[in-house]
Amino acid sequence: MARKEIQLIIKMNHLAEFMVCIMSGAGSQLALFLFGCYVVALGVHTEEPRVAQHSEAEHYVAAVYEHQSIFTPSPLALVGRKQALDLMNQNLDIYEQQVMTAAQKGVQIIVFPEDGIHGFNFTRTSVYPFLDFMPSPQLVRWNPCLEPHRFNDTEVLQRLSCMAIKGNMFLVANLGTKQPCHNNDPGCPHDGRYQFNTNVVFSNNGTLVDRYRKHNLYFEAAFDTPLKVDHIIFDTPFAGKFGIFTCFDILFFDPAIRLLRDSEVKHVVYPTAWMNQLPLLAAIQIQRAFAIAFGINLLAANIHHPSLGMTGSGIHSPRKSFWHHDMENATGHLIIAQVARNPLGLIGPENATGKMNPSRSKFLEILAGDPYCEKDAQEVHCDGATKWNMNTPPVFHSEMMYDNFTLVPVWGKEGYLRVCANGLCCYLLYQRPTLSKELYALGVFDGLHTVHGTYYVQVCALVKCGGLGFNTCGQEITEATGIFDFHLWGNFSTSYIFPLLLTSGMSLETPDQLGWENEYSFLSKSGLSSGLVTAALYGRLYERD
């Protein structure tokens, strides 16, 4: 796109904003007119300018695109820069189409997935033609679209910058970047350059706002880990501060958790190329759990390749999610949603209902060690109308997520169960309106996970098993019919706990209550809309990694 055309688009954007201001001020007092102009200038685009005036301070419009990438057929083959650009431009053409579609809906920020432009499974050498040179935004203020000749090998950055201008929106994308280094740099690779898996952020005028270089690489031999963790926070006129990280980062303290120590960061943009792993780590599962755990909005864009188990994107807030998960169709998908500028959290006493239901009363009695409840190794028997199953279920072991879980079967229409491993004990108080011909189990794991990454977890999980045999508990399933009303809790030794609640057909549910009670972390839910697949408290002990 020619520079004059871009400058014309910028002027037209400004003119459109001015015209909307005039329309929104018609018949109003001057003060209201000026306020309307200010609102629209910040990037609010809507068919109802008066509504925009009222809602801009509370909401913004976001989009994430789950992209079916066009990949090179031979990622190990050596190609030239022109051939690499030809392939990447095919993906960028699709990106541009999505930006223009989003612009028509008034989107103010759009997020694209990890690896969506260049693909994956490269070697360090074969990925090189796909890399753009990346100057540091902290050192250089640069608009690639308006200054295309300032740096060499920046064609992808130029196109992304021009898209942000054409769509008049903030744009977040992922690409491979290169940075030359010298022998006096002790971390400099042998070939004299760093290669990074990089997210970039452009403002709606095309300026490169910031970049984040992925820290927790997931078997990515083509890229280097930055010598220092990037903790990137960028500001927007429509929603304040955003944090940014990539894919596997979500499971680690740096940079994800450290970013959110800034109380003003209420939004996170999250490009990812996530392979789903049930029953605990499907993409939409961990995305929603992260948003709930930290009381933030998460804009998550996953790559779309069902044959590789890669799907699942969403715009997640603590109390509501708009998500996409599709293992059947090989097409991309654009999600657009209105997002609260200040999301309402779910965790804590403020989410408790004023009326105490019998199930919660029983839960609190158990936690308090009520004298009317008699406990043994697996069951609790309480005086009153409810009669608990007197049979102690057997303890068994089964592999879940490549870890050796200790489990007990969940039998009967109601009951109270406990299962322990190492120092962690998990408890389940449940009722079922009807029994289904399915096996469910309550499982616990407290230890170091060592497959496809090394990290320490504490997990309490109620899962549907793959069949009726104990050895099927932990298998990947997506369909279920069992309905539960339940309280799940455990004596976790970490405060970093992610609530997972997944039902049949890869649907997300919101917990009724969540938080801490008598030093136990708990999750409760009643009235599921479909059969339960997984309900879990997934704890991370970062210091034991």
Side-chain angles (χ1 to χ4, degrees):
M1 186 177 298
R3 182 174 177 178
K4 288 184 178 180
E5 292 176 332
I6 291 296
Q7 291 173 332
L8 178 60
I9 289 172
I10 294 174
K11 290 179 180 179
M12 291 176 65
N13 285 337
H14 291 163
L15 178 61
E17 291 168 354
F18 177 71
M19 292 176 65
V20 174
C21 289
I22 294 175
M23 294 172 63
S24 68
S28 304
Q29 296 180 357
L30 179 61
L32 180 59
F33 166 74
L34 292 174
F35 174 73
C37 291
Y38 176 70
V39 166
V40 178
L42 288 184
V44 173
H45 305 278
T46 175
E47 296 175 358
E48 302 281 350
R50 291 180 184 272
V51 174
Q53 292 174 24
H54 173 75
S55 64
E56 186 277 339
E58 297 178 356
H59 296 88
Y60 64 97
V61 183
V64 300
Y65 182 61
E66 181 163 311
H67 178 47
Q68 171 81 17
S69 299
I70 301 169
F71 287 162
T72 175
S74 304
L76 303 183
L78 302 181
V79 301
R81 176 68 173 174
K82 182 182 182 302
Q83 188 175 347
L85 285 172
D86 288 343
L87 181 135
M88 291 191 290
N89 276 319
Q90 294 180 63
N91 289 308
L92 289 167
D93 289 343
I94 298 172
Y95 278 25
E96 186 165 343
Q97 293 169 8
Q98 301 306 317
V99 166
M100 299 318 296
T101 299
Q104 295 173 4
K105 305 293 185 180
V107 167
Q108 294 156 279
I109 184 168
I110 189 168
V111 184
F112 291 100
E114 180 186 24
D115 298 334
I117 297 172
H118 58 273
F120 43 71
N121 292 333
F122 293 96
T123 66
R124 182 175 182 84
T125 303
S126 68
V127 79
Y128 183 71
F130 294 83
L131 306 181
D132 266 34
F133 169 72
M134 169 59 70
S136 171
Q138 284 77 34
L139 301 177
V140 177
R141 181 172 174 82
W142 179 42
N143 188 312
C145 188
L146 299 183
E147 304 171 275
H149 304 298
R150 187 170 178 182
F151 303 103
N152 293 327
D153 292 338
T154 57
E155 293 89 341
V156 174
L157 292 170
Q158 291 169 35
R159 281 210 65 181
L160 294 171
S161 171
C162 292
M163 282 182 215
I165 294 174
K166 284 186 68 177
N168 194 23
M169 67 185 68
F170 274 63
L171 184 149
V172 180
N174 174 271
L175 72 157
T177 63
K178 59 188 178 183
Q179 178 184 325
C181 53
H182 303 285
N183 293 334
N184 57 359
D185 178 352
C188 185
H190 63 87
D191 51 14
R193 63 178 182 268
Y194 290 109
Q195 299 182 174
F196 297 119
N197 177 331
T198 305
N199 296 336
V200 288
V201 182
F202 292 96
S203 70
N204 61 332
N205 67 10
T207 299
L208 179 62
V209 174
D210 221 323
R211 60 98 173 93
Y212 166 73
R213 299 166 300 179
K214 186 177 180 182
H215 187 72
N216 297 285
L217 298 173
Y218 188 79
F219 303 101
E220 299 169 65
F223 295 116
D224 299 304
T225 300
L227 299 180
K228 183 180 179 182
V229 183
D230 290 340
H231 296 105
I232 303 301
I233 297 172
F234 64 93
D235 206 4
T236 66
F238 50 84
K241 291 184 177 181
F242 281 74
I244 183 170
F245 50 83
T246 310
C247 200
F248 203 37
D249 286 329
I250 203 168
L251 293 180
F252 296 91
F253 187 85
D254 269 322
I257 310 305
R258 197 180 300 276
L259 275 179
L260 296 174
R261 287 184 167 181
D262 184 335
S263 61
E264 294 185 9
V265 177
K266 300 183 183 299
H267 319 270
V268 170
V269 288
Y270 178 61
T272 184
W274 190 279
M275 288 183 285
N276 291 291
Q277 189 176 3
L278 291 163
L280 300 179
L281 288 180
I284 58 172
Q285 232 181 343
I286 190 63
Q287 293 164 14
R288 181 69 193 286
F290 194 91
I292 292 174
F294 290 101
I296 53 101
N297 296 318
L298 183 71
L299 314 184
N302 197 7
I303 206 163
H304 187 78
H305 285 282
S307 62
L308 301 175
M310 305 174 88
T311 181
S313 304
I315 298 175
H316 306 276
S317 69
R319 300 191 177 203
K320 189 173 184 180
S321 285
F322 301 88
W323 75 89
H324 176 73
H325 177 100
D326 183 3
M327 288 291 290
E328 303 297 326
N329 301 298
T331 55
H333 187 82
L334 182 67
I335 303 172
I336 298 175
Q338 190 177 69
V339 186
R341 179 170 181 160
N342 293 295
L344 293 174
L346 184 65
I347 297 176
E350 66 274 8
N351 72 79
T353 57
K355 184 177 180 181
M356 185 75 72
N357 61 57
S359 176
R360 179 162 176 80
S361 298
K362 191 68 65 179
F363 164 61
L364 294 176
E365 284 178 8
I366 294 170
L367 285 185
D370 189 280
Y372 295 101
C373 292
E374 178 185 349
K375 298 181 181 179
D376 60 30
Q378 299 293 342
E379 301 277 339
V380 65
H381 313 295
C382 302
D383 292 342
T386 303
K387 295 182 179 179
W388 302 98
N389 183 359
M390 298 295 290
N391 297 320
T392 300
V395 176
F396 65 96
H397 293 86
S398 188
E399 185 178 282
M400 187 188 305
M401 309 292 295
Y402 302 103
D403 295 320
N404 184 29
F405 271 69
T406 303
L407 304 104
V408 292
V410 179
W411 289 333
K413 292 188 67 174
E414 57 187 19
Y416 166 75
L417 299 170
R418 181 184 70 172
V419 62
C420 301
N422 292 337
L424 177 63
C425 286
C426 302
Y427 305 83
L428 176 70
L429 178 66
Y430 69 96
Q431 290 182 309
R432 304 183 63 180
T434 58
L435 289 176
S436 60
K437 295 181 180 179
E438 299 164 307
L439 175 63
Y440 282 83
L442 173 66
V444 59
F445 180 77
D446 181 359
L448 189 67
H449 175 87
T450 58
V451 178
H452 301 157
T454 302
Y455 45 94
Y456 199 102
V457 294
Q458 289 185 325
V459 183
C460 292
L462 169 61
V463 296
K464 182 202 164 183
C465 304
L468 297 180
F470 288 171
N471 63 339
T472 67
C473 297
Q475 292 180 357
E476 298 195 28
I477 61 103
T478 59
E479 303 297 328
T481 61
I483 302 296
F484 285 79
D485 295 341
F486 66 90
H487 293 271
L488 174 68
W489 69 99
N491 61 331
F492 289 83
S493 52
T494 176
S495 60
Y496 298 108
I497 299 172
F498 303 92
L500 309 175
L501 192 50
L502 189 69
T503 58
S504 191
M506 296 300 294
S507 296
L508 296 172
E509 296 261 356
T510 302
D512 293 336
Q513 294 175 331
L514 188 70
W516 290 84
E517 194 82 57
N518 289 6
E519 299 184 352
Y520 290 87
S521 176
F522 76 94
L523 178 160
S524 64
K525 180 66 180 179
S526 61
L528 290 173
S529 60
S530 59
L532 181 67
V533 172
T534 304
L537 295 166
Y538 191 90
R540 281 285 286 114
L541 281 76
Y542 302 107
E543 67 276 11
R544 297 191 189 178
D545 289 352

